[in-house]
Amino acid sequence: STQNPNYSYQWEITAGTINNGQGTNEIDVEWDGAGTGTLIVAATDTITGCTGESKIYEVQINANPKPEITYSGELEFCEGDSVVLTATAGYERYLWNDGFEGRQRTVKASGDYGITVFDSIGCQGAAAAAITITVFPLPSIPAISRNGDYLESTQANNYQWFFKDIPIPGGNQRTILINEDGMYKVSITDINGCTAISEPFESISESPYVKIILRATVFAWTSKPVEILMMNSTSNTINKF
């Protein structure tokens, strides 16, 4: 209503509540919900006492948006993975609580993700609940050490050994017996299900070797005695031939 300093105003509404402004030419109304409401105002001249009444106005009340967030993937995952969050379609603008704008997004970091949407006539509404994402760090890369005929991994919850990049059947212990020389790896899994794989470890046989020492004096067309000494590196014995 148009303001007149000599008038007082009395408002009447349906389907809502007047929060403030009663007695003035402007009121703040909280509508009960989507649907139709009415309002009418009467103005009284405080000098003459005359009263005039407006026509009844019908108000179309639009519901505030109530978006929902869905997700594709897991809400708890290991570093390097991600989850896709998607809000309800059909709105003009999408504003996430971390400032990202858009209906759909890929998330790779821990946090609580909520959204507010805006429709074509300016109404806005927020999702009833945020989506909580938890990202677990990857375990440290395991190290392999050799102890005699066995290879040993650093401590973890679960293990899988590989030989030449092929999983070793039953190789799910912290140590593995060296059956043949070559490249070994181990993959470990921590309590959160996150994995890390070692650098290749080359196993070289530690089998005993034989050293041959030749001592001789040889002249052309002349035979001289030749001594052949064979030493076993394990027993440190020398055999003479």
Side-chain angles (χ1 to χ4, degrees), residues 65 67 69 87 91 93-97 100-102 114-119 123-127:
I69 304 172
Y91 299 110
R93 184 186 176 202
Y94 297 81
L95 179 62
W96 296 81
N97 58 341
F100 179 87
E101 293 202 35
I115 193 169
T116 298
V117 299
F118 303 81
D119 66 17
C123 296
Q124 69 180 64

Side-chain angles (χ1 to χ4, degrees), residues 8-217:
S8 65
Y9 301 87
Q10 182 64 38
W11 295 85
E12 293 183 10
I13 68 169
T14 62
T17 302
I18 299 174
N19 288 331
N20 57 68
Q22 185 66 279
T24 70
N25 71 312
E26 186 174 297
I27 58 173
D28 177 30
V29 177
E30 181 178 344
W31 300 103
D32 295 336
T36 302
T38 62
L39 62 82
I40 186 172
V41 61
T44 300
D45 190 323
T46 56
I47 297 175
T48 65
C50 296
T51 298
E53 192 172 77
S54 72
K55 67 178 183 179
I56 298 175
Y57 290 89
E58 188 174 274
V59 180
Q60 183 65 42
I61 306 162
N62 296 300
N64 285 325
K66 294 182 178 180
E68 295 182 354
I69 304 172
T70 57
Y71 56 90
S72 176
E74 300 294 330
L75 298 181
E76 295 183 348
F77 51 85
C78 301
E79 185 180 351
D81 290 336
S82 62
V83 62
V84 176
L85 303 183
T86 305
T88 310
Y91 299 110
E92 290 290 307
R93 184 186 176 202
Y94 297 81
L95 179 62
W96 296 81
N97 58 341
D98 62 351
F100 179 87
E101 293 202 35
R103 179 183 169 224
Q104 188 177 82
R105 64 182 305 183
T106 299
V107 174
K108 298 181 179 181
S110 296
D112 295 325
Y113 293 84
I115 193 169
T116 298
V117 299
F118 303 81
D119 66 17
S120 58
I121 61 173
C123 296
Q124 69 180 64
I131 297 291
T132 299
I133 306 297
T134 303
V135 180
F136 300 114
L138 296 178
S140 299
I141 294 175
I144 298 175
S145 58
R146 180 165 184 166
N147 184 11
D149 292 333
Y150 287 85
L151 299 180
E152 182 174 346
S153 168
T154 46
Q155 183 68 42
N157 275 60
N158 295 287
Y159 309 86
Q160 177 59 59
W161 288 89
F162 297 81
F163 180 69
K164 296 180 180 178
D165 293 324
I166 299 174
I168 299 175
N172 53 10
Q173 302 298 317
R174 186 176 179 182
T175 60
I176 190 77
L177 176 65
I178 302 171
N179 287 320
E180 58 181 305
D181 290 344
M183 289 294 185
Y184 288 81
K185 291 181 182 179
V186 64
S187 173
I188 62 169
T189 304
D190 65 15
I191 193 172
N192 297 314
C194 300
T195 61
I197 192 163
S198 70
E199 295 295 329
F201 183 95
E202 185 175 12
S203 171
I204 300 176
S205 175
E206 295 182 348
S207 300
Y209 64 91
V210 174
K211 183 187 292 184
I212 300 177
I213 303 173
L214 297 178
R215 186 173 63 211
T217 303

